[in-house]
Amino acid sequence: MTAALTGCTFGSSIDNLMTPPTLSTEHEQIYKALTDAAGTAISLKYPKSGKYLSAFIVEDIDGDGGNEAIVFYEKTSLAAPENTLRINILDQSGGKWRSVCDTPTEGAEIEKVLISKLGTNDRINLIIGSSLINRSEKNVAIYSYDSKNGTIEKTFSEACSFIDVTDLDGDGETEFLLLAGSATGSLAVAKSYKLDDEGKYHLYSRELSGSFTEFDSLSYGEIDNGRKGLYIDAVSGAGSIQTDIVYMDSTGLNKVFADPKDSLATVRPAGCSSFDIDGDGILEIPVQTISPGYEELPVSEQMFITRWDFINRDNRLEQKYSSYYSVGDGYIFVFPEKWDKKVTVKRDAVNDEIVFCAYSDGKTGRELLRIFCAEDSASREDRISSGYMLMGTKGDSAYLAYIPYNQTTTDDGLSPTAGDVAVGFKMK
């Protein structure tokens, strides 16, 4: 439910200079049929993200029970202004592949490909997100393949920042979702399209809470009463993001934060994306607050505690957990309930550790817990031999925790157990 999504912005380009010897047997056959029709002066193009990452997609796109092949390529023999991105559809006849139709598509790079029915229409749609060479301008086009006539028709085209297909309103029918970034100061927009039996697109749209031009992360999660929402972490300024949440019901596409000002309460540094921190299907939104004792210090010297908020039944933010969130080291430590408003955080620069301390009456008290991120085996083994617990590993990093004992004769009830630490530690 909470799998993170990617849209029209993806990683670095994939080398597309593939030749037939590197292909599977089936792809070799498809490639030969393609070059028989288009010539050998071609360069294959690869989607940057999504389910389909090959220049060759073999799927049933006409609903006849048999597979067709979709190939993305460009002709290398043309002058640069003419070097258009193209789609070739191939079908099998007598066990052999042959090119059926060929058409240019928008953009210079394939960003993402989706193949799906939409709404009540039985038509299978080929949905292609593309971009220009600099990837600053992105577009999505939807195609329909007619095997009887051997033609492919473009039925939809629009600028986009993110695309997906999902059943957002839970009616058993799939919608096409699109986020469009701000243009000339306007608000960014979320759009949902349904396709009816006549082949007409029905648009439902909702303005977002700001003039967003980029999106940091997008995830599905429950909001309330089992409704499915799209959590949109949008770039809202230099080094910050904020969250909007859209959902769909019988009235159309709606937004949790009806007042754009409500969304401003979620502003935090980039990298702090919405996350289902307790695995209950409901995403929590991380919001930073100044750790106790640092309020009067310069920002560069402050330490922060991260509050994890969820959307309650009144569509209001409500705190669920407090934690320390290290975006750089990739971990979260969720505080035990007994620490609520009674603990502060400090950094031990000498030992490169995060230290959690009791805090009362404006004063920092005894140490309760230390967390260390070891980046080599020697540091890891040294800490373990000193009584640190290994919490987990990720790549070359190992996360270790230490609970000090017998430091005070006063029982303030704040000492964490090994179980508290194990339950609260999350790698992200």
Side-chain angles (χ1 to χ4, degrees):
M1 194 69 161
T2 61
L5 303 175
T6 53
C8 291
T9 304
F10 308 98
S12 59
S13 296
I14 301 172
D15 185 2
N16 55 17
L17 299 177
M18 290 186 72
T19 55
T22 66
L23 306 177
S24 69
T25 301
E26 182 177 48
H27 286 178
E28 281 189 39
Q29 296 169 355
I30 295 170
Y31 186 85
K32 183 179 185 306
L34 172 66
T35 55
D36 286 345
T40 57
I42 63 173
S43 176
L44 299 177
K45 305 293 286 187
Y46 295 79
K48 303 292 188 295
S49 186
K51 174 183 176 182
Y52 304 103
L53 296 176
S54 172
F56 302 87
I57 298 175
V58 181
E59 290 277 355
D60 180 8
I61 60 170
D62 60 3
D64 66 354
N67 287 335
E68 289 74 40
I70 308 155
V71 184
F72 305 105
Y73 76 99
E74 61 185 9
K75 292 187 176 182
T76 56
S77 59
L78 299 178
E82 303 176 276
N83 196 19
T84 55
L85 184 63
R86 303 189 70 83
I87 308 170
N88 191 285
I89 306 295
L90 302 98
D91 210 337
Q92 293 189 79
S93 177
K96 293 185 177 181
W97 289 99
R98 62 182 179 86
S99 174
V100 177
C101 62
D102 191 283
T103 186
T105 189
E106 299 162 359
E109 300 289 340
I110 300 292
E111 295 288 346
K112 185 177 183 179
V113 178
L114 301 163
I115 298 174
S116 178
K117 293 181 180 180
L118 299 172
T120 59
N121 197 296
D122 287 332
R123 184 177 81 201
I124 299 173
N125 301 277
L126 176 61
I127 304 168
I128 300 175
S130 61
S131 66
L132 297 180
I133 293 176
N134 61 10
R135 305 184 72 186
S136 62
E137 295 181 34
K138 306 172 185 70
N139 197 86
V140 60
I142 302 179
Y143 296 87
S144 174
Y145 172 59
D146 182 351
S147 58
K148 293 181 179 178
N149 298 316
T151 58
I152 186 168
E153 177 187 4
K154 181 165 64 177
T155 63
F156 179 95
S157 178
E158 191 168 319
C160 75
S161 297
F162 161 82
I163 58 171
D164 196 28
V165 291
T166 189
D167 181 8
L168 193 60
D169 57 4
D171 66 351
E173 299 168 0
T174 302
E175 297 89 40
F176 170 58
L177 290 182
L178 179 153
L179 295 185
S182 170
T184 63
S186 62
L187 295 175
V189 180
K191 299 181 179 182
S192 176
Y193 289 90
K194 287 180 177 283
L195 190 62
D196 67 18
D197 294 337
E198 305 299 321
K200 179 181 178 181
Y201 291 96
H202 295 267
L203 168 65
Y204 305 87
S205 66
R206 182 67 57 181
E207 288 184 333
L208 301 182
S209 297
S211 300
F212 311 128
T213 57
E214 298 179 55
F215 298 95
D216 184 78
S217 85
L218 301 112
S219 305
Y220 293 119
E222 291 184 17
I223 38 180
D224 62 10
N225 298 321
R227 287 187 301 174
K228 183 178 180 180
L230 175 61
Y231 288 68
I232 304 166
D233 291 338
V235 178
S236 63
S240 64
I241 59 174
Q242 74 183 73
T243 299
D244 252 337
I245 306 169
V246 296
Y247 64 95
M248 196 166 186
D249 58 22
S250 59
T251 66
L253 196 63
N254 297 288
K255 188 171 63 171
V256 165
F257 299 125
D259 187 339
K261 294 180 181 178
D262 294 336
S263 178
L264 290 174
T266 69
V267 172
R268 70 272 189 190
C272 297
S273 55
S274 299
F275 180 59
D276 182 7
I277 199 167
D278 54 8
D280 64 354
I282 300 172
L283 270 67
E284 286 78 37
I285 301 170
V287 179
Q288 286 195 338
T289 59
I290 299 174
S291 187
Y294 291 85
E295 294 86 355
E296 304 302 322
L297 294 180
V299 174
S300 60
E301 298 178 22
Q302 289 177 340
M303 295 290 288
F304 294 89
I305 286 174
T306 299
R307 188 183 72 233
W308 294 85
D309 294 346
F310 74 102
I311 305 301
N312 63 23
R313 292 182 179 273
D314 297 323
N315 283 351
R316 297 288 182 181
L317 289 168
E318 182 178 329
Q319 181 175 336
K320 197 170 186 181
Y321 304 105
S322 289
S323 76
Y324 177 75
Y325 186 1
S326 175
V327 176
D329 286 332
Y331 73 86
I332 301 164
F333 180 67
V334 180
F335 293 175
E337 287 187 18
K338 59 191 176 187
W339 281 15
D340 188 35
K341 300 178 182 178
K342 298 178 182 178
V343 170
T344 191
V345 182
K346 68 179 183 180
R347 186 182 303 277
D348 181 346
V350 174
N351 295 299
D352 195 20
E353 296 181 340
I354 297 299
V355 185
F356 302 88
C357 300
Y359 188 86
S360 178
D361 298 326
K363 296 180 180 179
T364 299
R366 68 188 184 94
E367 291 186 12
L368 302 169
L369 177 70
R370 284 176 170 259
I371 293 180
F372 175 69
C373 178
E375 296 181 352
D376 58 74
S377 57
S379 297
R380 167 180 167 172
E381 295 307 317
D382 178 64
R383 289 301 199 284
I384 291 176
S385 66
S386 300
Y388 283 65
M389 301 179 293
L390 178 62
M391 308 309 300
T393 59
K394 183 170 60 177
D396 295 330
S397 298
Y399 302 94
L400 303 111
Y402 178 74
I403 304 173
Y405 294 99
N406 302 321
Q407 292 192 5
T408 179
T409 57
T410 302
D411 183 9
D412 54 13
L414 296 178
S415 296
T417 65
D420 290 332
V421 178
V423 170
F425 190 86
K426 318 280 184 183
M427 291 187 294
K428 192 174 188 299

